[in-house]
Amino acid sequence: EFGPEQLPYAFVLVALTAGAFIFIYTRFEKKARLNLLIAGTTIASITTMFVFWGAFHINLNYGWLYYAFYIWVAIFGVISATQFWLLANYVFNAREAKRLFGFIGAGGISGAIFGGYLTNFLASWIGTVNLLVISMAFMLICLGLLRIIWRASARKNYMDRLEHQKRFSGSDDSQSPIRAVLNSPHLTYISVIILVSVIVANLVDYQFNSIASEYIADEDRLTAFFGFWFSNLSIASLIIQLFVTSRALSIMGVTPSLLFLPLGILIGAAAMLFNPALWSAILIKVSDGAFKQSINKASVELLFMPVPAQVKNRAKAFIDVFIDNLATGAGGLLLILMTILLGFTVSRISILVIALTVIWIYMIFKVRREYLHLFARAITRRNIDLESQTLNLQDSSIFESVIRALESNNNRQVLYILNLLGDVKDERLGPYYKKLIDHPSDDVRLAVLKLICEHGGVEITEQAKKMTVTPNQEIQIESMRYLYLKSGNEPDSLTGYLNHDKYHVQAAAMMTIAEEYKRNKQFRKKFDIVELFESRLDVYRHSSFDIKTRELMRATGAKFIGTAGEKRLHPYLKRLLQDNSPVVVRAAIWAVGEARCTEYLPDLLTNLGKFKTRKAAREALANFGEDVIHRLAKTLADENTNREIRLAIPRTLSMIDSQESVNVLLGNLSLEDLQLRHLAVKSLNRLRNRFKSLKFDRKSIFNAISDEINYYYRVTIFLSYRDDASASKVEDSAGFFAPYGPEKAHLLLEKALKERLSFSLERVFRLLGLVYSSRDIFNAYNSINSDKKYLRANAVEFLDNLLDPGLRKYIIPTVEAATTRDLILLSEKLFGMKIPAPDESIKLILQCKDNWLKTCAIFLAAESKRDDTVIFIDKLKENPDPVVRETVDYALNRLNIHK
């Protein structure tokens, strides 16, 4: 009716109308459930088709009607596809989407091919206008399919994800789609990618049409040429969709797959720039047409997978409709500017195509980072962290806020403010501190006492005297310190409490003296600390005191030595370390660590092996810092050392901020003792989280992950021992009166094997947490162990995009395996491990290095009357593990083998 020269103006009208449409659409979207929104839009589309059909049928030749129809077709095509992919986002999880979106997208391409042929066949038969009736029929079929799909799977997934997002994301339902896009870097990058790609597509389309029209003058031949290439492009797109898309997404990931289209266009644009011939026009159009609706479409849809549900529903329609059509309008304006105003030739338009394509590729790399970040958030529950604050009390509003907080009934809030006031000296706070001295919380009173002792200026003598007899020793010590400072640093103000009738007051007085002795050089000149200690020690040796009192004072004596820091007192620690009371020994251990007495290191190591003193020994050894690491490493490597001591060393190393701690633990990741290996990995995690400056060698960690995965699958093949048919026969032959029965023995071994696999997988993820964000890896691990399918899929998709290819090859199949049988088959596929027959698996377990697995296998052999295992069991009679030896004796007796 109007000619192709009007197309750029139609593009601009489409963009303007799309803006108005998306404004109305989002109003409905906020209130309507997804299935109702799609159904309503579909019914509205059918109604609109009917109106247009009626108008054209009665030959209403209004010029604006053709524009209206053109604009409606543009918006309808986009919104229908948008809603379809939005629905698909809730039918499939991230992992299923990556595998299936390529195949599903082939349906759209097949529809384009079929629609073209159907149009060619029906147009001459029923007339062009009546094709709208056929379209209405197909849309009615879609309504029925929507109902089936929604009930079958989409409804539950949609509601689950919406509930999950409401619970953890706190999304604002009132947020406009424009604000949702602008507030999300991920959605902003997607918008820019779509904007640029549509503009480039319009420029490419113009170049292709112009070159073709120039080379093919005959109208019929030109029509045939377009028909031939458009059909070929649809077929090429279908082939890529069926045979390339899913494989590319699985192997390369989402964001690398987005590069196919722009790189293809870049090559075609370069060819067009230097040789504007028909073949170069075909090349650039083939690059655009073959990849756009296949691999690029599936990849773009996958980018929306981690977007929160409420945001996705609004933003996707906004991007697909408004941004797409805005880009169409922008493309029309650019063509008008370049061809009419600037006089660009067709080949020179390639300069702009190349420039825009470079921006497009850059944005793909930007969106990759946000895609990973969003998936990390999708598997993480929100945590609230208090931010550090700086208090400027000269600001009256801040001062008033502080006062309100100090007067609050919320103990945590009061403590938080008191901690912030540690470096703030302000006389106006004095009256409020004085009130808080009588606070019911010991923690609050202690914090206030420390502030008063630090800054002074508050009179609390009477309250301090009362608090010297409180049961809380820390409060006693600070109270006595206040009284000492108030007296003008007179030692007598402290020594007077040494003869108090309550022994815990005497103990507090000794500790106050020790702290002041360590802190104040002038105090040392006035006080003979050794004489005081020896006199008090003599007093509490007297048998007239009860056991608890003597224990309290011996423990106080030990802490006194550690706090005072007087080397002349160190010899007394030897006797205290050998005390019969764990309370006294723990105090002595603390003192050794506080004073860093290297002569007592053997005593600390010995106490690492004792349950009641282990924690104190760890902390004391950690106080020595780097000086003790070599000694700990040597003890850890010594297999003749008490195993309980060795087991406590990794945790001890994790408390020492030193690169040497990391190196020692990394060197022990290949230990055959699984418990020690597990503790070494956990300790490395603690070091990573506590001390941010430490370095973790990637090569060593990757090697450890490789070894761990290899171990995982070596254990996996042991699971092939279970043959359900043979197991039932064995159970029958064992007899009703068997002591335990083979079934219980089977369950015991199976449980042991699965526990080994579980701990091994945990170690793999802990090791990954040393290389990647430990928080993200931790959340991914928790999601993989979740019973919610979509959380597991999100976690796997996150890992698939995060991990190095060498790790991804082994880890992704492992976490995706649905059954034990899948894992067993993977052991053969990934590592070439030979899967043993069930009869052979027990024999292999009996020969492994894991004593607990051997114990379970021996027990199963005994209960199942496996005579063929006797030769292997007999070899274990001298095993160093007493549990193994005891089980061997039991098995040989059950199998009637005389020793």
Side-chain angles (χ1 to χ4, degrees):
E1 182 72 17
F2 298 107
E5 64 274 8
Q6 293 294 310
L7 278 177
Y9 302 104
F11 290 162
V12 175
L13 284 173
V14 167
L16 295 174
T17 309
F21 173 81
I22 200 66
F23 176 78
I24 298 168
Y25 177 83
T26 51
R27 296 281 174 158
F28 285 102
E29 182 277 329
K30 290 177 185 178
K31 300 175 182 178
R33 203 166 57 186
L34 180 62
N35 65 316
L36 299 178
L37 181 68
I38 297 174
T41 306
T42 305
I43 292 169
S45 297
I46 294 170
T47 304
T48 307
M49 286 184 201
F50 181 78
V51 171
F52 278 119
W53 173 79
F56 292 138
H57 195 69
I58 61 175
N59 296 316
L60 288 178
N61 291 318
Y62 298 119
W64 60 265
L65 189 63
Y66 302 114
Y67 275 97
F69 183 66
Y70 182 89
I71 292 167
W72 176 81
V73 168
I75 295 175
F76 163 78
V78 175
I79 198 66
S80 297
T82 295
Q83 291 184 334
F84 169 80
W85 286 110
L86 191 59
L87 179 65
N89 266 239
Y90 293 108
V91 174
F92 306 105
N93 61 48
R95 299 303 293 167
E96 292 169 336
K98 180 173 280 189
R99 290 195 304 270
L100 299 173
F101 271 17
F103 176 76
I104 292 168
I109 299 168
S110 301
I113 297 170
F114 176 74
Y117 287 127
L118 188 65
T119 298
N120 184 53
F121 173 72
L122 291 177
S124 58
W125 182 36
I126 66 173
T128 302
V129 171
N130 290 326
L131 289 175
L132 282 170
V133 177
I134 307 299
S135 297
M136 285 184 262
F138 277 112
M139 293 303 289
L140 285 170
I141 295 171
C142 287
L143 274 176
L145 291 172
L146 169 66
R147 184 180 180 87
I148 295 169
I149 293 168
W150 183 258
R151 286 186 172 183
S153 58
R155 178 171 54 189
K156 184 178 185 304
N157 292 338
Y158 177 76
M159 299 308 295
D160 282 350
R161 292 189 212 179
L162 207 60
E163 180 62 30
H164 183 79
Q165 294 296 341
K166 284 179 181 178
R167 189 178 303 168
F168 301 122
S169 70
S171 296
D172 182 6
D173 284 338
S174 65
Q175 191 178 45
S176 70
I178 299 176
R179 189 173 296 277
V181 170
L182 294 177
N183 287 345
S184 167
H186 182 66
L187 292 174
T188 302
Y189 294 147
I190 293 175
S191 299
V192 174
I193 287 171
I194 291 175
L195 181 77
V196 174
S197 67
V198 173
I199 292 174
V200 168
N202 285 336
L203 297 178
V204 166
D205 197 46
Y206 175 81
Q207 286 182 299
F208 177 69
N209 289 333
S210 297
I211 293 289
S213 300
E214 181 181 341
Y215 277 82
I216 305 172
D218 182 77
E219 185 176 313
D220 292 338
R221 284 182 59 209
L222 183 61
T223 302
F225 174 81
F226 283 147
F228 174 77
W229 278 107
F230 288 155
S231 297
N232 287 346
L233 287 176
S234 293
I235 293 169
S237 186
L238 178 61
I239 292 170
I240 291 172
Q241 191 76 338
L242 289 174
F243 300 107
V244 178
T245 299
S246 294
R247 183 167 295 181
L249 288 169
S250 298
I251 295 172
M252 300 174 61
V254 174
T255 44
S257 298
L258 287 167
L259 293 171
F260 278 86
L261 179 57
L263 289 176
I265 289 175
L266 197 62
I267 295 169
M272 176 70 76
L273 180 62
F274 294 108
N275 190 355
L278 186 59
W279 70 267
S280 58
I282 293 172
L283 175 63
I284 195 170
K285 187 62 179 177
V286 166
S287 299
D288 178 53
F291 294 124
K292 186 175 182 179
Q293 294 301 326
S294 55
I295 191 168
N296 191 74
K297 182 64 175 176
S299 300
V300 169
E301 295 305 328
L302 281 166
L303 288 177
F304 286 97
M305 288 299 296
V307 178
Q310 299 102 318
V311 177
K312 182 192 300 182
N313 293 350
R314 291 192 299 278
K316 193 173 189 311
F318 173 78
I319 291 171
D320 285 351
V321 178
F322 181 74
I323 298 296
D324 188 287
N325 287 291
L326 175 66
T328 300
L333 290 173
L334 280 173
L335 284 171
I336 294 170
L337 174 66
M338 295 177 71
T339 58
I340 297 176
L341 299 180
L342 299 179
F344 270 42
T345 62
V346 172
S347 61
R348 289 181 64 191
I349 290 175
S350 288
I351 297 173
L352 181 58
V353 172
I354 291 171
L356 289 171
T357 306
V358 170
I359 296 171
W360 184 355
I361 292 170
Y362 172 73
M363 296 309 297
I364 288 172
F365 285 102
K366 295 283 286 183
V367 83
R368 179 184 186 276
R369 184 172 58 191
E370 287 302 320
Y371 181 70
L372 283 174
H373 175 65
L374 269 188
F375 259 110
R377 286 184 59 190
I379 58 175
T380 306
R381 293 187 175 189
R382 171 174 285 191
N383 293 314
I384 301 172
D385 299 317
L386 288 174
E387 297 179 357
S388 58
Q389 301 180 31
T390 301
L391 295 181
N392 176 17
L393 297 187
Q394 300 308 311
D395 186 321
S396 60
S397 61
I398 293 178
F399 181 79
E400 289 173 7
S401 298
V402 168
I403 298 307
R404 281 198 300 272
L406 291 177
E407 293 177 334
S408 166
N409 293 325
N410 187 326
N411 292 353
R412 289 185 178 182
Q413 188 177 24
V414 175
L415 275 172
Y416 180 67
I417 293 297
L418 290 173
N419 289 331
L420 288 175
L421 293 170
D423 297 325
V424 179
K425 186 175 181 179
D426 192 312
E427 293 180 357
R428 293 176 295 170
L429 295 172
Y432 301 98
Y433 287 164
K434 192 166 184 176
K435 288 181 183 177
L436 289 173
I437 284 296
D438 297 319
H439 198 279
S441 167
D442 283 355
D443 292 333
V444 171
R445 284 190 290 161
L446 179 62
V448 172
L449 272 170
K450 287 181 177 179
L451 284 172
I452 292 172
C453 289
E454 186 69 26
H455 301 307
V458 181
E459 171 57 48
I460 56 164
T461 303
E462 293 304 316
Q463 293 100 316
K465 287 179 179 179
K466 292 178 182 178
M467 285 190 287
T468 57
V469 295
T470 187
N472 188 311
Q473 191 178 76
E474 288 183 288
I475 293 177
Q476 287 178 295
I477 291 170
E478 286 300 323
S479 300
M480 290 179 187
R481 183 174 175 234
Y482 170 84
L483 294 171
Y484 166 72
L485 294 171
K486 193 72 177 175
S487 70
N489 299 347
E490 282 297 323
D492 290 345
S493 64
L494 295 176
T495 54
Y497 288 104
L498 291 173
N499 296 314
H500 198 279
D501 58 350
K502 293 183 178 177
Y503 303 117
H504 68 90
V505 176
Q506 297 177 26
M510 286 189 67
M511 294 307 301
T512 308
I513 291 168
E515 287 188 5
E516 210 55 44
Y517 185 86
K518 183 178 183 179
R519 184 186 291 120
N520 192 335
K521 290 183 179 180
Q522 298 300 320
F523 187 85
R524 296 177 198 171
K525 295 176 181 178
K526 301 177 182 178
F527 226 94
D528 188 338
I529 198 81
V530 177
E531 181 183 345
L532 170 67
F533 180 80
E534 290 178 342
S535 66
R536 304 315 297 173
L537 203 63
D538 286 338
V539 168
Y540 295 109
R541 283 183 186 143
H542 200 279
S543 60
S544 62
F545 293 102
D546 62 79
I547 293 174
K548 284 291 182 185
T549 301
R550 280 182 285 161
E551 181 183 71
L552 169 67
M553 299 317 293
R554 291 199 306 278
T556 301
K559 291 179 181 178
F560 182 90
I561 295 171
T563 302
E566 176 56 62
K567 290 184 178 180
R568 291 176 294 166
L569 295 175
H570 290 179
Y572 290 99
L573 288 173
K574 186 67 178 176
R575 190 193 318 167
L576 293 166
L577 284 167
Q578 297 170 351
D579 200 277
N580 293 325
S581 166
V583 174
V584 176
V585 175
R586 285 196 291 268
I589 289 171
W590 177 87
V592 171
E594 189 70 14
R596 299 181 70 172
C597 305
T598 54
E599 63 268 31
Y600 297 123
L601 278 177
D603 298 274
L604 295 186
L605 289 170
T606 299
N607 280 286
L608 270 181
K610 299 176 181 178
F611 176 74
K612 291 184 178 181
T613 57
R614 184 175 298 141
K615 184 174 182 292
R618 278 200 306 258
E619 293 171 353
L621 285 163
N623 267 356
F624 283 84
E626 291 188 337
D627 296 340
V628 79
I629 292 176
H630 178 72
R631 182 72 172 268
L632 291 172
K634 187 176 178 181
T635 306
L636 179 60
D638 185 2
E639 294 184 0
N640 295 320
T641 300
N642 182 313
R643 189 165 181 273
E644 293 300 319
I645 294 175
R646 295 177 71 205
L647 289 173
I649 288 175
R651 179 73 178 272
T652 307
L653 287 167
S654 74
M655 301 166 72
I656 302 174
D657 182 7
S658 169
Q659 189 61 44
E660 189 60 27
S661 293
V662 175
N663 296 339
V664 169
L665 290 169
L666 285 175
N668 284 278
L669 292 179
S670 58
L671 287 169
E672 290 183 0
D673 188 317
L674 292 176
Q675 192 174 0
L676 272 175
R677 190 198 303 178
H678 200 81
L679 290 171
V681 176
K682 288 179 71 173
S683 297
L684 283 167
N685 291 139
R686 290 191 182 98
L687 283 168
R688 168 84 190 275
N689 293 330
R690 288 177 180 174
F691 311 116
K692 303 300 181 184
S693 62
L694 298 179
K695 306 297 180 185
F696 295 80
D697 181 59
R698 287 174 70 96
K699 184 178 179 181
S700 298
I701 295 167
F702 281 8
N703 288 338
I705 292 172
S706 178
D707 292 343
E708 194 61 58
I709 293 173
N710 194 280
Y711 165 80
Y712 182 92
Y713 280 102
R714 280 189 282 116
V715 174
T716 295
I717 63 172
F718 291 156
L719 285 167
S720 64
Y721 85 90
R722 189 71 190 263
D723 181 332
D724 291 336
S726 61
S728 61
K729 292 177 184 176
V730 168
E731 184 176 11
D732 291 339
S733 64
F736 181 79
F737 295 103
Y740 298 98
E743 187 58 29
K744 288 185 178 179
H746 270 294
L747 292 174
L748 180 64
L749 178 56
E750 189 174 6
K751 181 181 178 183
L753 288 168
K754 288 183 177 179
E755 281 178 349
R756 288 291 186 262
L757 290 178
S758 176
F759 282 121
S760 180
L761 190 62
E762 181 186 332
R763 286 194 292 275
V764 168
F765 274 83
R766 285 186 175 277
L767 289 166
L768 289 173
L770 301 175
V771 179
Y772 305 99
S773 165
S774 56
R775 182 186 180 86
D776 290 345
I777 293 295
F778 172 77
N779 288 316
Y781 176 72
N782 282 343
S783 294
I784 283 168
N785 289 310
S786 168
D787 58 354
K788 293 197 176 292
K789 190 177 179 181
Y790 75 91
L791 284 180
R792 293 198 302 272
N794 281 350
V796 177
E797 175 65 11
F798 169 70
L799 293 171
D800 200 7
N801 286 275
L802 175 73
L803 300 180
D804 290 18
L807 295 177
R808 186 166 63 231
K809 176 182 177 182
Y810 299 106
I811 292 174
I812 298 303
T814 302
V815 296
E816 280 195 306
T819 65
T820 299
R821 186 62 186 166
D822 291 340
L823 283 174
I824 293 171
L825 293 175
L826 278 172
S827 66
E828 185 175 35
K829 179 181 176 182
L830 296 177
F831 294 96
M833 296 178 180
K834 185 179 179 182
I835 302 174
D839 288 347
E840 294 299 314
S841 295
I842 298 296
K843 297 175 185 177
L844 289 174
I845 299 173
L846 291 171
Q847 297 173 73
C848 76
K849 296 178 179 180
D850 190 320
N851 282 332
W852 176 239
L853 290 184
K854 282 192 283 195
T855 300
C856 295
I858 295 167
F859 181 60
L860 175 59
E863 293 301 295
S864 304
K865 299 291 187 179
R866 289 283 300 272
D867 294 335
D868 59 326
T869 61
V870 170
I871 187 173
F872 300 100
I873 295 174
D874 194 59
K875 291 178 181 179
L876 299 173
K877 288 192 293 186
E878 304 301 324
N879 189 285
D881 190 324
V883 178
V884 174
R885 294 198 304 271
E886 184 178 338
T887 312
V888 167
D889 290 341
Y890 171 81
L892 293 176
N893 285 327
R894 287 278 292 154
L895 296 169
N896 297 318
I897 304 298
H898 300 289
K899 295 173 284 180

